[in-house]
């Protein structure tokens, strides 16, 4: 690989080099003696929100924690507190006495450690941390354009992370069009810009363990750098510059999702932890809703079988039906349990599934799965991973039988796509087309919040 | 598994960045490639 030029400044281990192209690979460096790497994994989660709630519970028991995302989100006992095998074994022993069978020691035998390797002017360098400071506005990373500077640094999962340092108003150019879509009405794009800005500022603690703030996927917000930016989104970002949603003087957890199914979810319908008073169920409709108690099965079924009168009506994701055979459900559930550190995977077949608790927004709070080896309970957000069929937790079940009255599986009948908390993106399309301003759209989905210009004291510290 | 990251220069002058202020336009740290060099573990 040829490296020449003067556009990229590389800084590492006290050295500064200049080049215009650099290629990194990860190479193993053999250890003199194999090492064993251990950590205590306390719990496993589908989402950061539940990992954070779990971490608070562990901390209340006197166990300091770290939240990491090697695949699913995990809560680890803080490695610097449990830095020897005896301390880790004692912790596990104590947790078993408390009845916890999920926590476990993950052990990895290492014969080498990974190092970054790169070449400048024919000389090969190796290391673990490199800063790249471009001297121009746009830098290509694997052919994709980005603004700002970069750092390659090790992470808790044993690999490396490429971190982009980018001003928030530029970051939004890589988020807003990808999150709201290119066909959205202008006020919906403006609403998305405010939410993306607010969400980013309120969620900078997600990857504290690895010394960065946000990821670039739907676990945070989709961020594609300067790839496929949109003039309309750029305008919306510019015209809402610095505008954020606040509650009690702090930026809010500005959640949004694709489609709510006709009613947004309360924060605690999906996740444990501190309630957000501004994230309460809102009927996603401009007409006064019928008086329905969606926590009851009969009213809920009536609601899901209503197609008209909603902001999202007509979208493919608004209402759906999906059949899942017992075999498919068994496979998905076993995979889910295995990835969750749950050892109850030795059942041979699911025998029956039922919904045992539903929230006021109609979301399934708890499901019970009967197997030949006992009953397994799955709650809230985890339901979306435990069963293949549901696109959301807004559904009911219809058992399906063959002619001999033998249970074949279940039809999941529901609505929405995603968690359903906060703004409905598809709902905002309709409201925008009806002439609603972005201020009105935001006030509709986030009751009790204030739209104002960012001030330093609004950025909450976790 | 991502094997290589290639970083090179791009086009200049396309960004309406405006003034970067730590208070109103703070710098975010975004993990754009989260697990570079990861491989299946031997756990």
């Amino acid at each position: 690989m040829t490296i020449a030029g003067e556009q990229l400044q590389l800084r590492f281990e006290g050295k500064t080099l200049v080049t215009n192209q650099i290629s990194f690979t990860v190479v193993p460096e053999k250890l003199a003696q194999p090492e064993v790497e251990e950590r205590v994994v306390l719990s496993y989660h589908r989402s950061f929100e539940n990992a954070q709630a779990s971490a608070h519970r562990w901390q209340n028991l006197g166990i300091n924690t770290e939240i990491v995302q090697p695949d699913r989100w995990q809560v680890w006992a803080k490695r610097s507190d449990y830095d020897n095998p005896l301390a880790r074994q004692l912790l596990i022993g104590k947790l078993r006495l408390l009845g916890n069978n999920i926590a476990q020691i993950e052990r990895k035998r290492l014969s080498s450690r990974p190092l970054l390797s790169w070449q400048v002017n024919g000389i090969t360098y190796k290391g673990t941390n490199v800063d790249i400071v471009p001297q121009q506005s746009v830098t290509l990373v694997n052919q994709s354009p980005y603004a700002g500077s970069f750092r390659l640094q090790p992470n808790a999962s044993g690999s490396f992370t490429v971190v982009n340092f980018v001003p928030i108003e530029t970051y939004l150019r890589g988020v807003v069009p990808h999150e709201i879509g290119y066909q959205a009405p202008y006020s919906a794009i403006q609403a998305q810009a405010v939410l993306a800005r607010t969400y980013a500022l309120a969620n900078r603690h997600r990857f504290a363990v690895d010394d960065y703030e946000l990821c670039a996927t739907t676990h945070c917000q989709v961020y594609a750098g300067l790839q496929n930016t949109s003039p309309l989104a750029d305008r919306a970002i510019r015209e809402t510059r610095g505008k954020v949603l606040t509650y009690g003087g702090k930026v809010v957890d500005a959640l949004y999702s694709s489609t709510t199914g006709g009613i947004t979810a309360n924060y605690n319908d999906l996740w444990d932890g501190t309630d957000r008073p501004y994230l309460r169920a809102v009927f996603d409709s401009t007409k006064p809703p019928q008086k329905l108690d969606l926590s009851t099965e009969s009213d809920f079924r009536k609601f899901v079988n209503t197609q008209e009168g909603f902001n999202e009506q007509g979208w493919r994701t608004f209402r759906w039906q999906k059949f899942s055979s017992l075999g498919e459900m068994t496979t998905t559930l076993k995979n889910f349990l295995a990835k969750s550190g749950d050892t109850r995977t030795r059942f041979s077949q699911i025998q029956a599934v039922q919904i045992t608790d539903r929230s006021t927004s109609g979301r399934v709070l708890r499901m019970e799965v009967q197997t030949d080896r006992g009953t397994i309970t799955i709650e809230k957000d985890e339901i979306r991973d435990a069963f293949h069929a549901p696109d959301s937790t807004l559904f009911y079940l219809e058992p399906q039988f063959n002619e001999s009255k033998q249970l074949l599986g279940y039809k999941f009948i529901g609505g929405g796509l995603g968690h359903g908390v906060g703004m409905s993106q598809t709902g905002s399309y309709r409201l925008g087309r009806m002439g609603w301003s972005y201020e009105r759209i935001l006030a509709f989905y986030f009751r009790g919040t204030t739209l104002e210009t960012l001030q330093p004291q609004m950025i909450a510290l976790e | 598994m991502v094997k290589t990251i290639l970083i090179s220069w791009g086009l200049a002058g396309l960004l309406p960045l405006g003034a970067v202020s730590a208070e109103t336009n703070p710098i975010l740290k975004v993990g754009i490639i989260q697990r570079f060099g990861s491989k299946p573990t031997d756990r």
Side-chain angles (χ1 to χ4, degrees):
Chain A
M1 175 174 299
T2 305
I3 301 171
E6 55 185 5
Q7 285 85 3
L8 301 172
Q9 205 175 73
L10 267 65
R11 298 174 189 165
F12 56 95
E13 293 169 7
K15 296 186 183 73
T16 301
L17 301 175
V18 174
T19 182
N20 75 345
Q21 184 165 293
I22 183 86
S23 178
F24 292 95
T25 53
V26 174
V27 295
E29 185 190 56
K30 199 167 170 52
L31 294 169
Q33 285 192 329
E35 293 174 5
V36 175
E37 186 182 87
E38 283 189 350
R39 55 226 174 192
V40 178
V41 183
L42 297 168
S43 52
Y44 301 76
H45 308 275
R46 180 179 195 276
S47 56
F48 174 82
E49 285 77 2
N50 268 348
Q52 189 176 36
S54 172
H56 285 151
R57 286 195 295 269
W58 291 113
Q59 273 150 5
N60 288 339
L61 290 172
I63 301 168
N64 289 325
T65 59
E66 298 171 307
I67 299 174
V68 293
Q69 192 208 12
D71 177 13
R72 301 195 88 218
W73 291 91
Q74 297 181 356
V75 180
W76 293 359
K78 197 173 175 66
R79 286 163 294 169
S80 54
D81 286 3
Y82 299 91
D83 60 354
N84 64 80
L86 180 61
R88 291 187 284 269
Q89 286 294 350
L90 286 172
L91 175 59
I92 287 291
K94 179 178 155 190
L95 294 173
R96 293 286 182 267
L97 285 175
L98 291 170
N100 181 302
N101 291 314
I102 298 290
Q104 57 184 287
I105 295 175
E106 279 196 357
R107 194 170 284 118
K108 193 159 61 168
R109 191 172 177 275
L110 303 172
S111 53
S112 63
R113 68 180 182 125
L115 282 179
L116 293 167
S117 171
W118 65 97
Q119 278 197 339
V120 179
N121 296 329
I123 300 171
T124 300
Y125 298 89
K126 287 181 183 170
T128 55
N129 293 71
V130 185
D131 282 310
I132 299 160
V133 183
Q135 305 300 300
Q136 70 286 327
S137 316
V138 180
T139 303
L140 300 176
V141 179
N142 287 343
Q143 301 302 315
S144 295
Y146 287 87
S149 59
F150 306 88
R151 180 175 291 165
L152 280 78
Q153 58 190 42
N155 58 45
S157 309
S159 57
F160 293 88
T161 301
V162 181
V163 179
N164 182 201
F165 291 67
V166 59
I168 190 168
E169 296 297 324
T170 308
Y171 159 82
L172 293 174
R173 300 185 66 201
V175 174
V176 174
H178 304 284
E179 283 289 358
I180 196 67
Y182 293 83
Q183 305 302 318
Y186 186 60
S187 62
I189 302 174
Q190 289 175 298
Q192 180 68 73
V194 173
L195 292 184
R197 181 182 295 114
T198 309
Y199 178 92
L201 291 168
N203 282 277
R204 294 172 77 175
H205 54 291
R206 290 195 160 221
F207 292 92
V209 68
D210 287 328
D211 192 25
Y212 62 99
E213 295 170 344
L214 294 160
C215 58
T217 71
T218 52
H219 279 282
C220 302
Q221 305 187 105
V222 173
Y223 168 60
L226 298 171
Q227 188 90 50
N228 299 326
T229 56
S230 134
L232 208 54
D234 284 351
R235 191 182 130 205
I237 294 162
R238 209 166 44 242
E239 290 183 357
T240 64
R241 185 184 167 87
K243 288 268 191 288
V244 290
L245 278 187
T246 64
Y247 183 86
K250 298 283 185 193
V251 289
V252 303
D253 194 4
L255 290 156
Y256 54 89
S257 66
S258 162
T259 316
T260 65
I263 182 168
T264 70
N266 302 294
Y267 181 85
N268 287 136
D269 292 352
L270 272 294
W271 302 297
D272 298 330
T274 313
D275 184 29
R276 275 75 161 155
Y278 49 86
L279 292 175
R280 291 274 162 77
V282 173
F283 276 102
D284 206 353
S285 166
T286 54
K287 293 176 184 168
Q290 236 184 307
K291 187 79 182 160
L292 291 172
D293 178 0
L294 298 185
S295 65
T296 67
E297 203 64 18
S298 58
D299 275 11
F300 179 72
R301 287 180 181 229
K302 206 179 296 173
F303 176 80
V304 165
N305 288 300
T306 307
Q307 300 280 346
E308 301 293 320
F310 295 97
N311 294 329
E312 300 168 340
Q313 67 188 52
W315 286 85
R316 187 182 50 80
T317 49
F318 174 56
R319 292 282 178 259
W320 44 259
Q321 294 193 5
K322 290 178 181 179
F323 172 73
S324 214
S325 70
L326 285 183
E328 286 169 339
M329 292 174 80
T330 299
T331 304
T332 312
L333 182 61
K334 283 187 175 194
N335 287 340
F336 165 80
L337 293 171
K339 283 184 176 178
S340 306
D342 195 321
T343 54
R344 295 174 296 172
T345 54
R346 294 202 185 99
F347 63 91
S348 56
Q349 181 89 332
I350 290 175
Q351 294 169 334
V353 180
Q354 60 174 338
I355 293 163
T356 54
D357 197 10
R358 195 183 281 291
S359 79
T360 53
S361 81
R363 263 71 191 187
V364 178
L365 295 175
R366 190 174 304 114
M367 288 176 75
E368 283 185 5
V369 185
Q370 271 117 49
T371 74
D372 51 314
R373 290 270 186 125
T375 301
I376 297 166
T377 302
I378 314 284
E379 293 185 350
K380 299 186 177 182
D381 178 50
E382 302 294 333
I383 290 167
R384 290 170 61 204
D385 270 2
F387 302 99
H388 182 65
D391 285 343
S392 74
T393 56
L394 191 76
F395 63 85
Y396 64 89
L397 294 172
E398 279 294 2
Q400 304 293 301
F401 300 95
N402 65 12
E403 289 167 358
S404 328
K405 306 273 186 194
Q406 188 184 11
L407 181 65
L408 298 175
Y410 288 87
K411 200 184 266 184
F412 290 72
I413 301 169
L417 174 63
H419 54 66
V421 181
M423 186 181 85
S424 160
Q425 291 172 310
T426 52
S428 75
Y429 271 51
R430 183 181 182 89
L431 296 173
R433 286 185 184 127
M434 288 168 62
W436 284 36
S437 67
Y438 77 93
E439 294 95 333
R440 194 175 170 197
I441 293 172
L442 293 171
F444 176 77
Y445 288 109
F446 295 85
R447 307 282 164 95
T449 58
T450 305
L451 180 67
E452 51 189 330
T453 302
L454 177 65
Q455 302 292 325
Q457 65 273 19
M458 294 172 184
I459 302 175
L461 293 174
E462 285 289 323
Chain B
M1 177 177 163
V2 182
K3 288 183 179 168
T4 305
I5 297 170
L6 176 63
I7 298 179
S8 60
W9 65 279
L11 302 168
L14 292 178
L15 290 176
L17 279 177
V20 174
S21 141
E23 293 191 347
T24 59
N25 193 8
I27 304 285
L28 297 179
K29 296 193 271 183
V30 187
I32 54 172
I33 299 174
Q34 285 182 274
R35 287 176 283 276
F36 171 49
S38 65
K39 59 180 182 181
T41 63
D42 50 4
R43 280 195 291 277

